[in-house]
């Protein structure tokens, strides 16, 4: 896809630090982890998304002449460093969890192993992309869960700019939306586009009936009529029934999709009344779709009230993740390569125990119950650890260490979540198409126990540290405290 | 700026309705208004922003061969209509309120007068752009108000995608931020870029002192040191003072900016302690900047506690407008041109009195107190009305009509807010540069009474209807009710 160059989509401090490393002649290889600390919207999980755009960004990293010229104009950068930038390309390794995967707090969703100057430059854009798309995918999965399917993404006009509407639509479809109103997203990502018509269509004709007839004549095979412009039950629904009857009497083939859209009023009441009217007229398979400031909670409430809605157009609340509009992904230094090629683990301490980072070059193992296929827990481990699911395994909570889970050999399966994306600067991964990611994501969501998917008070999924990682972390913390005590 | 083509950045229904009008051979000229109903974040105003990007979008409206090919592939569109699209360009008029202007609910921020097919196509992108940038400009103005200045936009990594970070930075600077960390925004919009260094800079050196010394050596004229990596008061601030002392002793020229950045902990307590330590060492002009999940309420609270912070790095809460992440701008049909060239006003009724639209081809007059320059109220009027500020004027609340304001001739000034942007498809407007819009916006904010700027329970600004518009609206409502009664 053609796109303006995103190389300068970075915080200024990445560039000033890069220049610092350049001037100091220090460019050791380091490991940075992307992870987040809290699930959005009070849920028990998130959906990883955005990797394909990160790949695109890394592949196209290149300072154009006009970028160099701009940087020169700021007066902050030396010519020698600008010459370095003019030749810059990414030479490192990137590992990531594939898009559509269910993920949990503290797990490295993406890992950069690269000379520090390169690793630093890419921080901001990687976070921007992963934070946005994972946020919207997670929100969309909640809305789709509440609706039981049939959710259309309709939020472009309220999204935070063109990209938010377009990549947001992509993320929404990954997480299970059946389509989007955004035509550009449809073109760029080959995802289904959906829509009906607006109130202005009705208002531009002399009568509602004339507007409906015209729409039905033009779109006889996909005919959803918006019924709330004047009076839903007294005017909209009767006129829609009249038009469906006329189509039938004219001997037209049965439409693939036909029915009504409610966009205001008491959706529970109106949908039940409309259902009865449609059924009484013989249109038992007419769809009732609704749109009107919907979110997962309102949809859950409407369904529990017996609303007769099977198709949901969700806009603002989904495309902005309104109740939680930011995904708190961070990018933290985990290790620095020593002269002998070995990684020296690094830890960032904090007064807040939750903010102490996990040191070292790591990976993630996911453990499934063999019988049900559901997730038993995740194990953040050092990258060189291996596990054999025929062996018994005890995993334990990294803080409340007496909380243990015993996994009998043969009763579980295990898989590593991080896969290589770039090796030595070369992309070694091909993203699946969005609809294949959607299928994969559906399978991923099915690996969650129902108790972890529900909207209210979902059950936390265990994310433990492997014994070697836990020991390393404690040893580093001990060293820091001993050092402080000695001072 | 080079950008992917946004012509397909539209809801599918705009295109299906366009095809409907095309097939029906109906393409009357219509008037659509963009307006919003509620101020974001419980404030009393909003800041209009995004017009320059809308101009760019309209100028570049053009269906490329690959767009047509994509639309053909959906099976929804006829060849004759696709041929029409291939030749499409915008031929209408657009009026808008200039960027940086203070605006209020129900006022047309932008007005499209164009053949209905064209007016319909541009709805979604116009709303997307205006909704996003006005939202962020409004939020930023609140943060800047709370801080009393010195706010830097630092949110790129948490923004909802690349555009949200980049256009959001632009909107933030319009509303008074002194700069952004986003280098791409700096280049595209010629706005100041700002930044210091990250914790990873400190961690990549053996000691904090060594990291500070290196940074100071590289950036002696702009030297803000991040002091919270290990221990703010026991390690960070003393090391910073040591480095500033060394710089002074080495006879370096006094830096333009130097000081410390706090990024965690109790900012009120730490800033007061740090201020004392810096002052005691003779660095009374050292800046104390802070960043850590700030928003307008936290900043107001910190200042009321006497926090010694004069520079604020604000990220997530500003760039996503976290407490209110969507600006509810809508696009409503207001009039249709009749065969005689006159506009026939259109009204959209609703059970909800607030949702009844204002009919006709309209404009807005802003009335200022002549002595103070503060806003007395706005008057939404029909486009052909004129006012003479030497004449006395009575304005009245459109719902509670007994609420009247008498304006004596000569005691007020009046200006029209909507200005022509496109006439007959040609752009007739040149956007000021962003820093000039910032200056203008500052003047605009000063036209608000203090009571309307405060964060808690701000005073609503009057937006009234002119008498001719009010009479037209009531007449149309009467017609509808008479029609309903007769049925």
């Amino acid at each position: 896809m053609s796109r303006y160059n995103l190389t300068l989509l970075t915080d200024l401090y990445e560039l000033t630090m890069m220049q610092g490393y350049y001037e100091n002649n220090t460019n050791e290889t380091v490991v940075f982890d992307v992870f987040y600390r809290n699930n959005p919207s009070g849920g028990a999980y998130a959906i990883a998304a955005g990797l394909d755009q990160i790949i695109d960004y890394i592949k196209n990293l290149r300072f154009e002449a006009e970028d160099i010229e701009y940087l020169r104009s700021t007066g902050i950068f030396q010519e020698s460093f600008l010459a370095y930038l003019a030749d810059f390309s990414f030479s490192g390794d990137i590992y990531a969890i594939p898009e559509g995967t269910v993920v949990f707090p503290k797990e490295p969703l993406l890992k950069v192993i690269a000379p520090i100057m390169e690793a630093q430059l890419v921080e901001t854009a990687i976070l921007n992309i992963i934070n946005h798309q994972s946020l919207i995918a997670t929100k969309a999965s909640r809305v789709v869960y509440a609706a039981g399917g049939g959710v259309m993404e309709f939020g472009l006009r309220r999204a935070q700019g063109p990209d938010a509407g377009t990549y947001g639509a992509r993320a929404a479809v990954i997480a299970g939306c059946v389509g989007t109103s955004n035509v550009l997203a449809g073109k760029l990502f080959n995802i289904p586009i959906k829509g009906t018509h607006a109130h202005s269509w009705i208002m531009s004709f002399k009568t509602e009936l004339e507007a409906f007839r015209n729409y039905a004549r033009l779109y006889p095979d996909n005919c959803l009529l918006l019924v709330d412009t004047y009076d839903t039950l007294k005017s909209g629904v009767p006129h829609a029934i009249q038009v469906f009857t006329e189509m039938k009497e004219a001997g037209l083939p049965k439409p693939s999709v036909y029915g009504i859209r409610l966009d205001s009023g008491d959706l529970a009441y109106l949908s039940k009344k409309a259902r009865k009217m449609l059924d009484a007229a013989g249109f038992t398979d007419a769809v009732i779709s609704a749109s009107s400031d919907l979110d997962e909670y309102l949809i859950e409430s409407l369904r529990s009230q017996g609303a007769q809605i099977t198709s949901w157009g969700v806009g603002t609340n989904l495309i902005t993740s309104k109740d939680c509009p930011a995904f708190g992904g961070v990018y933290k230094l985990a290790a620095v390569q020593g002269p002998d090629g070995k990684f020296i683990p690094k830890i960032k301490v904090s007064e807040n125990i939750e903010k102490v980072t996990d040191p070292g070059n790591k990976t993630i193992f996911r453990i499934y119950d063999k019988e049900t296929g559901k997730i038993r827990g995740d194990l953040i481990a050092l990258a060189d650890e291996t596990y054999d699911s025929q062996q018994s395994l005890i995993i334990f909570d990294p803080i409340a260490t007496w909380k243990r889970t015993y996994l009998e050999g043969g009763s579980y399966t295990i898989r590593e979540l991080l896969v290589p994306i770039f090796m030595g600067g070369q992309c070694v991964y091909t993203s699946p198409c969005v609809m294949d990611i959607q299928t994969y994501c559906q399978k991923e969501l099915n690996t969650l126990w129902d108790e972890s998917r529900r909207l209210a008070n979902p059950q936390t999924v265990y994310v433990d540290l492997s014994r070697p990682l836990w020991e390393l972390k404690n040893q580093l913390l001990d060293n820091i405290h001993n050092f402080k005590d000695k001072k």
Side-chain angles (χ1 to χ4, degrees), chain A:
Chain A
M1 84 182 259
S2 100
R3 191 69 175 77
Y4 61 95
N5 186 315
L6 293 181
T7 304
L8 290 191
L9 189 81
T10 190
D11 288 317
L12 175 61
Y13 80 0
E14 314 286 12
L15 288 169
T16 51
M17 287 191 285
M18 273 177 93
Q19 177 167 257
Y21 295 123
Y22 182 83
E23 293 293 323
N24 282 338
N25 244 321
T26 52
N27 201 13
E28 317 95 324
T29 293
V30 293
V31 180
F32 273 95
D33 294 329
V34 173
F35 63 93
Y36 71 101
R37 295 196 183 97
N38 298 296
N39 291 308
S41 302
Y45 68 91
I47 305 283
L51 181 58
D52 196 39
Q53 280 64 54
I54 289 172
I55 292 172
D56 196 52
Y57 159 73
I58 297 283
K59 280 184 179 172
N60 290 296
L61 262 182
R62 166 176 68 246
F63 291 85
E64 307 285 355
E66 63 172 61
D67 298 330
I68 300 290
E69 193 42 56
Y70 168 68
L71 293 175
R72 181 178 289 121
S73 76
T74 65
I76 301 170
F77 302 101
Q78 324 257 348
E79 283 304 319
S80 54
F81 177 65
L82 293 174
Y84 160 83
L85 288 184
D87 276 338
F88 181 91
S89 68
F90 183 78
S91 73
D93 303 340
I94 295 180
Y95 296 79
I97 299 180
E99 293 191 272
T101 306
V102 162
V103 293
F104 307 109
K106 301 200 135 198
E107 299 179 348
L109 309 184
L110 185 144
K111 178 171 79 169
V112 174
I113 305 181
I116 193 162
M117 291 172 66
E118 301 176 26
Q120 203 69 69
L121 175 67
V122 300
E123 171 179 15
T124 316
I126 285 177
L127 286 177
N128 173 279
I129 293 167
I130 227 168
N131 276 335
H132 172 234
Q133 291 195 44
S134 300
L135 177 73
I136 304 305
T138 306
K139 182 68 171 180
S141 80
R142 295 168 57 81
V143 174
V144 171
Y145 170 81
V151 176
M152 298 171 291
E153 188 288 300
F154 275 2
L156 176 55
R157 63 188 58 196
R158 301 287 172 84
Q160 294 194 350
D163 281 345
T166 304
Y167 296 115
R170 178 182 185 274
V173 170
I174 282 177
C177 285
V178 296
T180 175
S181 64
N182 181 341
V183 181
L184 182 60
K187 179 190 164 201
L188 292 175
F189 311 122
N190 197 21
I191 55 182
I193 50 175
K194 306 274 180 185
T196 58
H197 56 80
H199 295 113
S200 60
W201 172 266
I202 308 292
M203 289 165 72
S204 74
F205 288 87
K206 286 212 177 59
T207 67
E208 188 178 54
L209 188 60
E210 193 186 332
F212 284 179
R213 277 189 181 131
N214 264 288
Y215 192 81
R217 188 174 51 76
L218 281 157
Y219 303 107
D221 190 50
N222 191 330
C223 186
L224 281 182
L225 301 172
L226 178 61
V227 293
D228 72 333
T229 306
Y230 300 112
D231 187 313
T232 300
L233 297 179
K234 286 187 187 153
S235 169
V237 177
H239 286 147
I241 288 173
Q242 184 172 341
V243 169
F244 299 148
T245 307
E246 289 169 6
M247 289 167 80
K248 201 167 160 185
E249 289 172 355
L252 290 177
K254 198 166 177 62
S256 303
V257 182
Y258 77 105
I260 61 170
R261 177 161 74 99
L262 305 169
D263 189 44
S264 61
D266 188 319
L267 299 178
Y269 172 79
L270 293 173
S271 68
K272 284 188 267 191
K273 284 281 185 187
R275 182 76 272 160
K276 279 189 186 156
M277 292 161 77
L278 288 163
D279 288 353
F283 299 110
T284 52
D285 55 353
V287 168
I288 299 179
S289 73
S291 53
S292 176
D293 257 334
L294 299 172
D295 67 9
E296 64 268 46
Y297 302 104
L298 186 52
I299 290 174
E300 188 172 68
S301 162
L302 284 167
R303 292 185 77 202
S304 78
Q305 295 169 63
Q308 296 295 306
I309 299 164
T310 53
S311 170
W312 310 82
V314 184
T316 312
N317 294 312
L318 193 166
I319 205 69
T320 65
S321 187
K322 196 171 180 192
D323 62 331
C324 175
F327 189 85
V330 295
Y331 189 83
K332 296 291 176 190
L333 184 67
V336 177
Q337 202 167 38
D340 61 353
K342 283 191 185 162
F343 283 110
I344 305 157
K346 292 275 175 179
I347 193 164
K348 164 100 178 66
V349 292
S350 169
E351 300 292 308
N352 183 339
I353 196 168
E354 297 295 318
K355 285 201 169 185
V356 178
T357 61
D358 293 322
N361 181 17
K362 300 180 295 297
T363 191
I364 311 158
F365 292 101
R366 176 155 295 170
I367 303 162
Y368 300 92
D369 184 72
K370 197 169 184 179
E371 205 180 306
T372 62
K374 302 289 184 191
I375 298 172
R376 291 297 301 269
D378 278 6
L379 210 53
I380 306 179
L382 293 169
D384 54 8
E385 291 183 53
T386 53
Y387 288 88
D388 172 3
S389 64
Q390 293 311 308
Q391 305 290 317
S392 295
L393 179 64
I394 294 172
I395 59 176
F396 58 94
D397 185 290
I399 292 164
T401 52
W402 66 91
K403 288 190 183 173
R404 287 156 189 256
T405 305
Y406 174 77
L407 299 156
E408 188 160 3
S411 77
Y412 67 93
T413 61
I414 191 161
R415 78 163 171 134
E416 193 171 349
L417 295 186
L418 286 168
V419 300
I421 310 295
F422 283 86
M423 298 301 286
Q426 294 304 307
C427 184
V428 296
Y429 181 81
T430 307
S431 283
C433 69
V434 171
M435 298 312 286
D436 285 349
I437 301 176
Q438 185 190 62
T439 304
Y440 167 75
C441 183
Q442 185 54 50
K443 285 185 195 148
E444 276 290 301
L445 286 163
N446 286 335
T447 64
L448 288 168
W449 304 87
D450 293 342
E451 290 75 7
S452 295
R453 291 202 68 186
R454 67 186 175 215
L455 304 180
N457 299 322
Q459 172 66 35
T460 302
V461 177
Y462 297 123
V463 178
D464 295 340
L465 303 188
S466 71
R467 181 166 289 277
L469 176 57
W470 185 83
E471 282 168 356
L472 171 68
K473 185 173 183 177
N474 277 284
Q475 182 197 320
L476 290 175
L477 289 172
D478 278 350
N479 291 352
I480 289 168
H481 288 133
N482 289 342
F483 175 74
K484 276 199 178 173
D485 292 346
K486 278 184 199 149
K487 275 220 305 194

